[in-house]
Amino acid sequence: MTDDVARYPDGTRDVSCREAARLISFRFDRELNHDERRELSMHLMECLNCQRFEQQLKLLQQLSRQYASGAKAPDDAVS
Amino acid sequence: MRDSTRLYEQIDAERAYLLRFALAKLRDQDIAEEVVQEALLAALSGSANFAGDASLRTWLTSILKHKIIDYQRRVTTERERFASAPSAGEEADDWLDALFDETGHWRAEFAVWTLPDAAHEQRAFFAAFERCMDKLPTTTAQVFFQREVMGEDTETICKEFDISSSNCWVILHRARVALRECLEKNWFGK
Ligand SMILES: [Zn+2]
């Protein structure tokens, strides 16, 4: 980490998409600490791509669970 | 009542999924195939017990889980656990780096994803999903499968693969980013 990190007026670190993406992903597996939560929410407020990234990971999770129960089979559903 | 030839075909159609499941748990192709075979035989001989209210995949998975546990018990009592720890990073991060510019921002603009709706669309999606999972490095794929498909908690997975939790989180992150890229290219972005 460099010393001259960009910060918001309140002192929160201005993180890059690269770091934000890690936090978005980590949030599926563990709780974020106070600083991480602030950094992420500040970033998400102004980054459309990371908002989409988060939405996509949610769908990915939903679809993975659906995959575990098998896709619905229209032709075989009623027999 | 289901006619038995048809049920046989349907059960056989689930073989590929079950093999993935077994492989994520057992991490050995031959053993996985053997255990799946056992599970399928048990399913066929007990097919009368298939109530049809759960999906066929769910029912077969529960039989397979028992077979996997049986196998693991057998092995643990016979000899010590043979699991070898995957290398810490497993792979270089070059491909991940390439997704970001010098300032650490995404290079590409992402699409808005919508859920595959119709059943045929869903089946085509899961085929694409499987192809994308197959492109992941082995351990990454297995960790992802256990976490997101099987819904295991990270602590259990870490122990099983003998890796630290932070390593586990990073592996999962890589898996998600790689799958995202692959699915956007091959499915959602089309
Ligand atoms: Zn961003």
Side-chain angles (χ1 to χ4, degrees):
Chain A
M1 296 286 121
T2 47
D3 298 316
D4 54 335
V5 261
R7 290 183 185 276
Y8 291 96
D10 71 345
T12 305
R13 247 161 32 92
D14 184 0
V15 297
S16 62
C17 293
R18 199 194 162 111
E19 288 174 84
R22 282 166 73 95
L23 296 178
I24 289 167
S25 187
F26 289 171
R27 192 146 69 169
F28 285 85
D29 306 308
R30 66 164 169 91
E31 265 182 52
L32 300 186
N33 68 34
H34 180 77
D35 286 349
E36 291 173 329
R37 278 202 301 272
R38 287 190 80 102
E39 287 161 11
L40 181 56
S41 56
M42 293 294 253
H43 184 89
L44 280 175
M45 261 189 269
E46 52 193 33
C47 183
L48 181 65
N49 248 0
C50 283
Q51 289 168 23
R52 288 197 178 153
F53 180 73
E54 186 177 39
Q55 180 253 353
Q56 293 172 341
L57 291 198
K58 280 180 185 157
L59 274 188
L60 180 62
Q61 181 173 63
Q62 203 178 327
L63 288 162
S64 304
R65 297 285 153 92
Q66 222 166 304
Y67 174 65
S69 51
K72 36 181 174 174
D75 333 317
D76 320 330
V78 235
S79 65
Chain B
M1 269 272 116
R2 279 160 190 267
D3 128 64
S4 62
T5 328
R6 211 158 106 99
L7 185 63
Y8 177 83
E9 280 167 12
Q10 288 175 333
I11 287 179
D12 201 53
E14 293 294 335
R15 184 191 289 272
Y17 171 82
L18 297 172
L19 198 54
R20 263 169 212 283
F21 190 100
L23 208 49
K25 274 314 245 190
L26 299 165
R27 287 181 275 151
D28 180 298
Q29 184 76 28
D30 293 339
I31 298 168
E33 274 172 21
E34 196 183 303
V35 173
V36 166
Q37 192 57 28
E38 269 180 42
L40 289 178
L41 289 174
L44 286 170
S45 65
S47 61
N49 297 325
F50 177 51
D53 44 352
S55 82
L56 183 62
R57 180 169 291 183
T58 309
W59 179 65
L60 291 171
T61 305
S62 69
I63 295 172
L64 178 60
K65 274 185 195 159
H66 283 111
K67 294 291 170 196
I68 290 173
I69 293 168
D70 286 350
Y71 173 81
Q72 285 169 332
R73 276 207 201 108
R74 238 150 46 207
V75 173
T76 345
T77 49
E78 276 166 23
R79 54 190 143 108
E80 291 150 57
R81 296 290 302 268
F82 51 84
S84 62
S87 60
E90 185 165 72
E91 52 160 337
D93 260 346
D94 297 0
W95 67 271
L96 193 62
D97 289 331
L99 299 175
F100 303 93
D101 64 18
E102 317 72 49
T103 61
H105 288 86
W106 297 108
R107 282 182 196 279
E109 197 177 308
F110 298 166
V112 178
W113 288 9
T114 44
L115 278 172
D117 206 5
H120 68 276
E121 208 192 344
Q122 231 184 53
R123 265 187 293 187
F125 169 79
F126 286 128
F129 179 64
E130 285 177 343
R131 281 196 302 277
C132 287
M133 280 199 293
D134 288 342
K135 287 189 195 154
L136 297 175
T138 318
T139 306
T140 308
Q142 290 170 353
V143 169
F144 176 82
F145 196 97
Q146 286 212 17
R147 176 77 185 115
E148 298 293 40
V149 179
M150 296 159 80
E152 296 266 25
D153 57 80
T154 18
E155 210 183 313
T156 314
I157 301 171
C158 295
K159 254 186 231 150
E160 208 168 296
F161 284 82
D162 197 20
I163 48 182
S164 69
S165 11
S166 58
N167 198 351
C168 203
W169 296 324
V170 170
I171 289 176
L172 284 165
H173 172 55
R174 285 209 197 103
R176 293 187 182 109
V177 174
L179 284 173
R180 197 215 74 81
E181 290 298 312
C182 182
L183 288 171
E184 183 142 320
K185 206 172 289 168
N186 296 293
W187 183 268
F188 291 105
K190 278 195 172 169

